[in-house]
Amino acid sequence: MGYDIQPTASHFIDGAYVEDTAGTPIPVICPVSEQEIARVYAATPAVIEQALAAAKRAQVAWAAMTGTERGRVLRRAADLIRERNYDLSVLETNDTGKPLQETLVADATSAADALEYFGGIAGSLTGEHVQLGEDFVYTRREALGVCVGIGAWNYPTQIAAWKGAPALACGNAMVFKPSETTPLCALKVAEILHEAGAPAGIYNVVQGMGEVGHALITDPRVAKVSLTGSVPTGRKVYAAAAEGIRHVTMELGGKSPMVIFDDATLEDAVGGAILGNFYSSGQVCSNGTRVFVQKGIKEAFLKRLSERLADVKMGDPLDETVNFGPLVNARQLEIVQGFIAKGIDEGARLVCGGQREDMSGYFLQPTVFADVTDDMTIAREEIFGPVLSVLDFEDEAEVLARANDTEFGLAAGVFTNDIGRAHRMAAGFEAGTCYINTYNLAPVEAPFGGSKLSGVGRENSKNAVDHYSEMKSVYVAMTPVEAPF
Ligand code: NAD
């Protein structure tokens, strides 16, 4: 049967779909047909108010439930998501253009993992006891209150759950604003959470552009903001949150290095470079787009990469044999084409790709540049498209310094069979998420996030709990109070 692409209504508030067509229309454009396939409306001030009021009201009772009770809701939602994975994946493919071959294994399933993981640990979130002679202190791990989540367009289902699951496990309520480019999938996450037993108002979705995000994060009822987006947006959101000293998690952009030493296993290095540059047509924040390749392996690497890129199959992303989709919209295509032109102008050697594909949709060929130098624009700025840059290097100290010579610090990877070097590189990388002999895996059990301009805080793992709760200390005196007079 499948889901209708046009959602029941634009927003999901207080356990139900809500429509208000007075808001700015947001057309959803299919990245393949380039036609409008659905339409939602940005939240009006009345809708924003309704969402925040519902979240504020619902949060107190939700936090008063036991962690095990809250966790049960999340785990039920995870099961429902897995049961409906196919339909949710089709919706995600329509929302983003990513191939169904990918969305079937990386999107709703990742959301389910987050709900299952945080549902599983919700019952064991505790404070501690600190003995001080006869007196003691105990700490209470308390919810923050109403949390706002703001999403990017590349992983709409996953982002909605990666923020929602830890927030709800800790006893918070959430108001989530998806990217205006991909507004459809988060509504399903909200719908399923409520079907699984989340009380009305615990997870709300409101649509809109930056103004709606800004209105949410500056509201005095909001205790925390978690953004997934670009660095320029991160700066604005962080500053707005600072006004009210709100907690923040910032998952921002990157320009991550991948370092391939002569002694690497060639096939793994090429596979890692493909995963780290062309999955989701390159629209992944943690991509290793600066591929440093040591001289001795460079020609073999480029040859094998070109051979494997011949297996790229573009086409209708709903065809499960297609493994490479279009970019998300016309604007992103234009941005990426602009970077490719700059790469050529600045003297990089185009090894393959570089052209828009001659078919309907925002398809751009996987593109590889060689002879890229550190100062070129394509080596310095986040492109967010299928463009891989190969840079040459001679030795370990030199490559580590160059890998770190960036304002970003999201991820980094090394391919080598020298175990000591692998760990030295991982320790030396200025990045929040590092890989040895693989790339771009993000299991819910491991912390994920960035250093430097790439972000603040971590998602996933037990670590995320610290970003959605705070500790209250309670000093308990067992002895008479001693005062100076
Ligand atoms: P974006 O920064 O343009 O928008 C992100 C979100 O912020 C959108 O929902 C947008 O409506 C909202 N927004 C914009 N201005 C705002 C404001 N002033 N106040 C509040 N909200 C505002 O990013 P995008 O183009 O949607 O996504 C691509 C970017 O996201 C890339 O830079 C990518 O690296 C990054 N990203 C990071 C991660 C991560 O986990 N680190 C994951 C995915 C994407």
Side-chain angles (χ1 to χ4, degrees):
M1 51 153 229
Y3 290 124
D4 289 339
I5 298 173
Q6 175 63 43
T8 310
S10 299
H11 319 287
F12 192 95
I13 298 173
D14 215 0
Y17 277 100
V18 170
E19 191 55 280
D20 182 353
T21 55
T24 310
I26 301 176
V28 183
I29 308 294
C30 169
V32 179
S33 69
E34 305 177 34
Q35 304 295 315
E36 181 171 328
I37 51 171
R39 174 172 288 223
V40 296
Y41 295 86
T44 55
V47 166
I48 294 170
E49 173 55 34
Q50 204 183 334
L52 288 169
K56 181 79 186 160
R57 190 209 64 237
Q59 189 265 327
V60 179
W62 176 247
M65 285 164 63
T66 67
T68 302
E69 287 167 333
R70 288 197 298 271
R72 195 175 300 136
V73 171
L74 302 193
R75 286 182 291 106
R76 250 190 238 130
D79 290 344
L80 290 173
I81 286 180
R82 281 193 216 289
E83 279 166 27
R84 297 173 197 173
N85 182 40
Y86 186 81
D87 290 346
L88 290 166
S89 303
V90 169
L91 190 69
E92 171 102 12
T93 289
N94 275 294
D95 218 4
T96 60
K98 292 189 291 181
L100 187 58
Q101 192 189 90
E102 261 186 57
T103 54
L104 281 171
V105 298
D107 293 280
T109 53
S110 165
D113 284 354
L115 289 160
E116 194 171 354
Y117 177 85
F118 288 104
I121 64 173
S124 49
L125 302 178
T126 57
E128 59 179 355
H129 169 99
V130 185
Q131 195 67 44
L132 298 164
E134 284 182 63
D135 292 358
F136 61 95
V137 166
Y138 65 92
T139 59
R140 294 166 48 91
R141 184 178 287 283
E142 296 190 343
L144 301 175
V146 176
C147 300
V148 164
I150 299 179
W153 43 257
N154 56 344
Y155 281 82
T157 308
Q158 183 190 87
I159 294 171
W162 278 22
K163 298 190 188 308
L168 267 52
C170 293
N172 303 285
M174 174 150 278
V175 179
F176 185 79
K177 189 199 84 62
S179 163
E180 57 272 33
T181 309
T182 54
L184 306 177
C185 298
L187 291 167
K188 287 292 165 199
V189 173
E191 191 184 307
I192 289 172
L193 271 165
H194 287 83
E195 192 179 332
I202 280 302
Y203 189 97
N204 310 278
V205 173
V206 299
Q207 307 293 350
M209 282 65 97
E211 303 85 74
V212 172
H214 185 78
L216 290 171
I217 60 190
T218 47
D219 189 278
R221 285 164 288 194
V222 171
K224 184 205 162 102
V225 182
S226 176
L227 168 77
T228 297
S230 60
V231 171
T233 303
R235 281 206 172 93
K236 287 188 219 156
V237 171
Y238 203 168
E243 193 67 28
I245 319 290
R246 296 184 174 86
H247 298 251
V248 294
T249 298
M250 294 282 144
E251 290 288 358
L252 309 178
K255 189 72 197 173
S256 302
M258 182 183 296
V259 179
I260 298 169
F261 284 94
D262 283 346
D263 69 346
T265 303
L266 180 65
E267 217 49 30
D268 289 343
V270 172
I274 289 172
L275 282 181
N277 282 275
F278 301 123
Y279 204 68
S280 300
S281 298
Q283 301 163 116
V284 178
C285 53
S286 48
N287 272 357
T289 48
R290 290 185 293 140
V291 183
F292 292 90
V293 185
Q294 207 169 14
K295 290 242 163 95
I297 198 175
K298 181 180 163 188
E299 286 318 313
F301 174 83
L302 285 174
K303 179 168 175 285
R304 192 65 192 121
L305 181 62
S306 299
E307 284 166 10
R308 285 181 63 175
L309 285 176
D311 291 335
V312 162
K313 186 174 174 196
M314 291 191 223
D316 179 357
L318 290 170
D319 169 352
E320 277 185 57
T321 66
V322 164
N323 57 22
F324 193 83
L327 293 175
V328 75
N329 59 22
R331 183 167 165 264
Q332 193 60 24
L333 174 68
E334 208 176 292
I335 291 173
V336 180
Q337 284 177 311
F339 277 110
I340 292 172
K342 266 215 171 106
I344 294 168
D345 279 358
E346 292 179 11
R349 174 163 61 95
L350 185 64
V351 176
C352 63
Q355 297 295 319
R356 183 172 181 178
E357 199 65 7
D358 186 19
M359 60 201 277
S360 160
Y362 311 118
F363 288 94
L364 184 64
Q365 296 165 347
T367 300
V368 177
F369 279 109
D371 305 337
V372 177
T373 54
D374 297 346
D375 54 340
M376 289 182 187
T377 308
I378 55 171
R380 302 220 69 82
E381 295 182 22
E382 184 181 46
I383 299 176
F384 224 58
V387 182
L388 182 161
S389 293
V390 173
L391 300 94
D392 303 341
F393 78 93
E394 308 257 349
D395 68 55
E396 186 182 322
E398 167 219 337
V399 77
L400 184 61
R402 290 171 59 201
N404 287 336
D405 182 18
T406 166
E407 54 190 6
F408 298 108
L410 188 52
V414 57
F415 285 83
T416 176
N417 280 307
D418 176 336
I419 192 170
R421 177 158 64 194
H423 293 291
R424 270 195 310 275
M425 289 292 289
F429 282 137
E430 294 169 1
T433 309
C434 296
Y435 298 98
I436 295 176
N437 293 332
T438 188
Y439 204 83
N440 255 359
L441 304 176
V444 68
E445 297 85 352
F448 182 83
S451 306
K452 296 155 79 177
L453 289 192
S454 293
V456 172
R458 293 292 178 264
E459 295 198 298
N460 291 340
S461 79
K462 291 194 278 281
N463 214 260
V465 168
D466 291 330
H467 299 289
Y468 282 100
S469 59
E470 62 188 355
M471 299 308 264
K472 177 185 278 175
S473 279
V474 181
Y475 191 109
V476 182
M478 300 294 287
T479 49
V481 174
E482 282 179 27
F485 52 83

